[in-house]
Amino acid sequence: MVALNPAQRAAVEHGDGPLLVLAGAGSGKTRVITHRIAKLCERGVPPEQILAVSFTNKAAAEMAERMIPLVGRNRAERLWLSTFHSFGVRFLSEETKALGYPTRFVIFDQGDAMGIVREIVKREGIGDRQMDLYAVHSRISLWKNQGITPENAPQNDFEYDVVAREVYPHYEASLRNMCAVDFDDLVYLPAKLLEEKPALREKWRNRFQYMLVDEFQDTNRIQLDLVQMLANQRGNVCVVGDDDQSIYGWRGAEVGNILDFDQHFGGATIVKLEDNYRSRSPILEVANAAIARSKRKRHDKVLRSFKGPGPKVRLVTLTDQEHEAKFVAHEIRVLRKEGHDIGEMAVLYRSNLQARPIEEELRVQGLPYRLYGGTQFFDRKEVKDAVAYLRVVVNPLDELSLRRIVNYPSRGIGDTTIQRLTRWSLAYGKTFADSLRMIDQIPDVPDGAKRGARILNDALERARANFASGSNFAGAARQLFAEVGLERLIKEDRNPAIQKRWANVEYVLRSLEKYEQRPGGERPSLGQFLTRITMKIDQEAEETGARVTLSSLHASKGLEFDVVFLIGLNEGQLPHSRTTDPKVTEAAPTDVEEERRLFYVGVTRAREQLYLTRPKRNMLRGKVTPLVPTRFFEGLPEEHLEHFERELDAPVEAEEAVAIGQALLAQLRGGK
């Protein structure tokens, strides 16, 4: 084991009081956090009185795994290691009385939240049909992350703010009526409850002696509020982060939280981690030079390579986007031939649209790849349908899920009947579930719809009884899917593509079985299982084998690779036109600096070799447009750069041509 360097040791051995650890890319921040926790345990602090918060399930799981050899499994399992949102789930589950909810509540993901917004806009006649409802929901989400309630929403004339301001109170009422919370609520509601209820705040402050927060530069206003209210009177808060990697301002993150840490927590000690253990010197020299030209306030730090010299950074200019894709694919083939692991290569880009030419070229050349951060397994239609049935079993008040499955598969409850049920429930102050259960009392409902409702209600009640037994959850779910006709609908479809969807439902059943059989922990419950998949905990990767990673720059945060291709480096793409053209948005000048930080993040993903590529021109509908290199190339150290300009396709060797031909033939035959 490599010994802690002096800066790391200073952070680990810090005593009481607030501590800011400025951890540059690849400087061992996770190691510092885990060793500091171990040091606290060594000093006699009970593990259950230590709360460590990260931003992703992956980071939290990695932290938990690293703690076992440091403090032993028993103490490691007693620590509070979670994401902000997972902490919120535990908090709200314990404080449902304070929240005013029953013991069970459902967590809505973004798709569910969009469904509520869509229903409100339609029902209330708000806005126009062409309005981007995603933008409306994004406004509400941003307000929650800033601690803004429906009552104090911004009063301005911006179109989406006007609509969001009208939708917001209806949205909150819908969530409460369905005993539901959205993702933003998992932080917003605990912060709000702790602020409003002094006794509750004192209870939770006394629970933790020490608190640690990873990736503090990504926190928003409400997350900062939560940290401040959980901190005890001694202010034993250690935050780790890098303001140079703050790239989520568009979703509410406030880089000022880390820049002004000493103002939020008086008397803070600051430790800088500048020794980089990830990247070769040329990569870091390029990163340092790029971020040093930032025009906004930042904590001054310079990364130093522990690994030493390596290949120069290759700055490659190609004719157009098509040639750029061909070049990248060719280099991947060459690198693989030289013995490099294709699973340790990545292509990074500012916009997801940039991935398409790369995808096409990799597919043509038979090079395996994966899209990182693409459509998640549990976002697929057939999976969401199956999960909706399970959610209604747990929470009959989950109107969103109930509306999704009420006539799927078709059971005679069409749109006209649903409208009648909705009007009846509103007139008599009932829920949609009540109207379905009391459908025989509602006038003008066809007999077929009544039969369909009885079949659905009976199946759901049997499922609730089966799940209440506390065992064989997968069997209970399978029985439910069979009774409501979900299995038959998918399996009997003549379309092979549809038939394959049942395999995805089977995966849900296997996940349920695996969850039920996991060792230790609390008594299994269907509600807990649904929470885990909504929070994307324990979701396995479906793709196997070594593959090139294709990822947006935002999604690549926290990842690292031996070889990185950072593509499309032109003005308008990086920095994105939304941040530079006031005609497109109301972007502040500081947004460009966030784009600079995004470039910095992309560069520092590379361990051994880095390619910076750009096309010279764009071809659209036969019109050629010259492209300007990104401003982030300015000031890069020439001694660490290797310039290339390629006008023609990279040549393909005979044996490579054979391999490509074989890959294409396999594709035509239906192979992978």
Side-chain angles (χ1 to χ4, degrees):
M1 180 184 293
V2 180
L4 296 170
N5 65 40
Q8 290 174 333
R9 186 167 298 282
V12 167
E13 296 182 348
H14 174 79
D16 289 352
L19 171 66
L20 169 60
V21 181
L22 291 169
S27 62
K29 65 179 180 63
T30 304
R31 192 159 183 259
V32 165
I33 293 173
T34 53
H35 278 72
R36 176 161 175 77
I37 294 172
K39 178 62 70 173
L40 292 173
C41 290
E42 185 184 307
R43 291 175 182 168
V45 180
E48 57 272 17
Q49 295 182 17
I50 301 172
L51 170 64
V53 184
S54 63
F55 269 81
T56 66
N57 295 315
K58 180 183 177 183
E62 182 184 357
M63 197 183 301
E65 187 176 340
R66 290 197 190 188
M67 289 310 308
I68 294 173
L70 291 175
V71 301
R73 184 173 296 278
N74 178 266
R75 285 198 290 188
E77 290 178 348
R78 289 159 56 197
L79 295 164
W80 279 66
L81 306 178
S82 70
T83 65
F84 270 104
H85 294 93
S86 295
F87 172 83
V89 172
R90 292 181 68 175
F91 179 98
L92 294 176
S93 298
E94 187 172 327
E95 304 297 347
T96 50
K97 185 177 180 181
L99 185 62
Y101 275 18
T103 54
R104 294 180 297 187
F105 58 88
V106 66
I107 303 168
F108 283 174
D109 61 19
Q110 187 179 46
D112 300 323
M114 284 297 301
I116 297 176
V117 171
R118 197 175 293 109
E119 180 66 25
I120 291 169
V121 168
K122 182 181 176 181
R123 185 186 71 215
E124 303 294 330
I126 302 172
D128 59 60
R129 294 184 178 180
Q130 305 302 317
M131 178 159 286
D132 181 0
L133 297 185
Y134 176 82
V136 174
H137 175 256
S138 294
R139 282 286 190 277
I140 295 173
S141 176
L142 185 63
W143 291 341
K144 283 192 177 185
N145 289 328
Q146 295 171 336
I148 296 173
T149 65
E151 294 75 28
N152 58 13
Q155 299 291 320
N156 57 52
D157 296 329
F158 184 59
E159 182 183 12
Y160 284 102
D161 280 0
V162 172
V163 174
R165 196 163 59 240
E166 192 171 350
V167 170
Y168 195 2
H170 294 288
Y171 178 81
E172 293 293 275
S174 294
L175 287 174
R176 183 160 289 278
N177 290 338
M178 289 184 267
C179 292
V181 297
D182 64 16
F183 258 61
D184 300 313
D185 284 333
L186 296 177
V187 182
Y188 172 72
L189 289 175
K192 185 179 177 186
L193 287 172
L194 289 172
E195 181 184 18
E196 295 175 347
K197 300 180 181 296
L200 194 68
R201 183 168 64 248
E202 195 63 23
K203 168 188 170 182
W204 283 87
R205 278 186 173 180
N206 291 335
R207 182 167 293 189
F208 305 113
Q209 288 192 46
Y210 292 86
M211 186 174 183
L212 301 94
V213 185
D214 192 12
E215 304 287 6
F216 193 69
Q217 78 281 346
D218 294 333
T219 54
N220 55 42
R221 177 70 246 183
I222 204 69
Q223 287 164 336
L224 173 64
D225 290 347
L226 182 64
V227 173
Q228 288 181 306
M229 281 181 282
L230 285 173
N232 58 32
Q233 300 305 316
R234 293 183 295 275
N236 290 332
V237 179
C238 168
V239 304
V240 183
D242 182 7
D243 52 297
D244 291 337
Q245 297 186 72
S246 179
I247 58 174
Y248 298 116
W250 51 276
R251 69 182 188 194
E254 297 186 13
V255 68
N257 290 353
I258 192 169
L259 292 173
D260 303 325
F261 179 79
D262 55 342
Q263 296 177 29
H264 300 305
F265 298 90
T269 299
I270 300 177
V271 176
K272 294 182 183 180
L273 306 183
E274 297 175 295
D275 288 321
N276 176 287
Y277 297 90
R278 176 187 302 161
S279 306
R280 297 288 179 181
S281 296
I283 296 169
L284 293 184
E285 293 297 336
V286 167
N288 287 332
I291 203 65
R293 297 177 71 89
S294 175
K295 293 179 174 61
R296 67 158 294 154
K297 177 184 175 183
R298 57 182 290 267
H299 289 292
D300 185 38
K301 52 192 172 300
V302 179
L303 297 181
R304 301 178 295 265
S305 176
F306 182 82
K307 297 170 76 172
K312 290 185 176 183
V313 173
R314 296 182 176 181
L315 204 161
V316 189
T317 303
L318 292 308
T319 305
D320 52 30
Q321 203 173 29
E322 181 183 351
H323 286 88
E324 183 180 45
K326 289 181 182 298
F327 170 80
V328 169
H330 174 263
E331 287 296 301
I332 290 171
R333 280 193 283 107
V334 171
L335 288 164
R336 184 166 70 165
K337 188 178 178 181
E338 292 175 351
H340 294 271
D341 183 357
I342 198 171
E344 290 296 336
M345 303 181 199
V347 183
L348 309 182
Y349 36 81
R350 174 61 175 85
S351 171
N352 286 321
L353 287 174
Q354 294 173 274
R356 291 181 181 175
I358 301 291
E359 270 196 273
E360 291 172 8
E361 194 60 37
L362 293 177
R363 196 180 298 118
V364 165
Q365 299 202 26
L367 295 168
Y369 67 90
R370 65 162 184 154
L371 279 170
Y372 189 82
T375 301
Q376 300 293 315
F377 176 80
F378 283 92
D379 291 334
R380 297 176 180 177
K381 180 186 179 304
E382 64 275 14
V383 175
K384 288 186 78 72
D385 291 334
V387 169
Y389 273 101
L390 300 179
R391 287 169 63 165
V392 174
V393 169
V394 171
N395 182 7
L397 296 178
D398 184 351
E399 183 176 329
L400 200 68
S401 295
L402 183 56
R403 285 179 178 273
R404 183 181 186 101
I405 57 104
V406 68
N407 200 44
Y408 184 81
S410 178
R411 52 180 63 91
I413 309 173
D415 290 344
T416 301
T417 297
I418 290 173
Q419 289 172 8
R420 287 186 177 128
L421 297 182
T422 302
R423 285 197 296 270
W424 183 88
S425 63
L426 291 172
Y428 290 93
K430 303 289 186 179
T431 66
F432 187 72
D434 291 333
S435 70
L436 202 63
R437 193 170 55 254
M438 303 167 69
I439 196 168
D440 288 327
Q441 303 176 27
I442 301 175
D444 302 322
V445 175
D447 290 341
K450 292 178 179 179
R451 285 194 300 273
R454 284 194 291 271
I455 291 171
L456 177 61
N457 286 326
D458 290 347
L460 290 171
E461 284 304 317
R462 277 191 293 274
R464 289 185 186 108
N466 290 337
F467 280 108
S469 68
S471 62
N472 194 15
F473 285 0
R478 190 180 297 279
Q479 180 180 330
L480 172 63
F481 297 158
E483 285 188 16
V484 298
L486 188 63
E487 181 176 5
R488 183 176 64 255
L489 176 72
I490 297 175
K491 283 186 171 181
E492 293 181 357
D493 197 294
R494 294 184 178 180
N495 186 338
I498 301 295
Q499 291 175 351
K500 290 180 181 179
R501 292 178 182 174
W502 183 251
N504 293 331
V505 180
E506 286 282 1
Y507 182 88
V508 176
L509 295 170
R510 290 196 302 274
S511 299
L512 190 53
E513 188 174 29
K514 184 178 178 181
Y515 159 76
E516 190 178 5
Q517 294 173 353
R518 79 196 195 289
E522 301 175 0
R523 183 173 182 265
S525 75
L526 180 59
Q528 189 185 64
F529 169 77
L530 293 173
T531 295
R532 294 181 75 84
I533 64 174
T534 304
M535 301 289 291
K536 295 180 170 57
I537 300 173
D538 297 341
Q539 294 187 23
E540 299 176 355
E542 298 171 88
E543 299 169 336
T544 58
R547 299 166 181 265
V548 179
T549 295
L550 307 185
S551 173
S552 72
L553 284 165
H554 285 100
S556 74
K557 181 79 165 25
L559 306 179
E560 57 184 80
F561 307 89
D562 284 348
V563 182
V564 168
F565 296 85
L566 185 48
I567 68 171
L569 296 174
N570 289 307
E571 289 288 304
Q573 200 64 67
L574 187 71
H576 199 282
S577 59
R578 287 198 300 266
T579 66
T580 59
D581 186 355
K583 296 178 182 177
V584 180
T585 65
E586 298 177 347
T590 53
D591 288 343
V592 173
E593 296 309 311
E594 181 159 312
E595 296 286 292
R596 180 181 298 278
R597 297 195 293 270
L598 195 57
F599 176 73
Y600 176 84
V601 166
V603 169
T604 55
R605 298 311 92 196
R607 289 192 286 251
E608 301 291 332
Q609 201 161 343
L610 174 66
Y611 292 79
L612 306 177
T613 72
R614 59 168 293 265
K616 290 196 301 183
R617 68 190 188 197
N618 184 39
M619 179 76 75
L620 185 63
R621 300 187 184 93
K623 182 181 179 182
V624 176
T625 305
L627 299 174
V628 179
T630 176
R631 68 188 70 187
F632 304 144
F633 286 169
E634 297 171 5
L636 298 186
E638 286 294 331
E639 65 271 25
H640 296 291
L641 298 177
E642 191 173 8
H643 292 265
F644 294 92
E645 186 161 343
R646 301 287 172 86
E647 295 287 346
L648 302 173
D649 296 352
V652 179
E653 297 176 8
E655 62 184 66
E656 293 173 333
V658 171
I660 293 171
Q662 290 174 339
L664 282 169
L665 187 60
Q667 289 180 23
L668 291 171
R669 290 173 174 171
K672 296 279 187 177

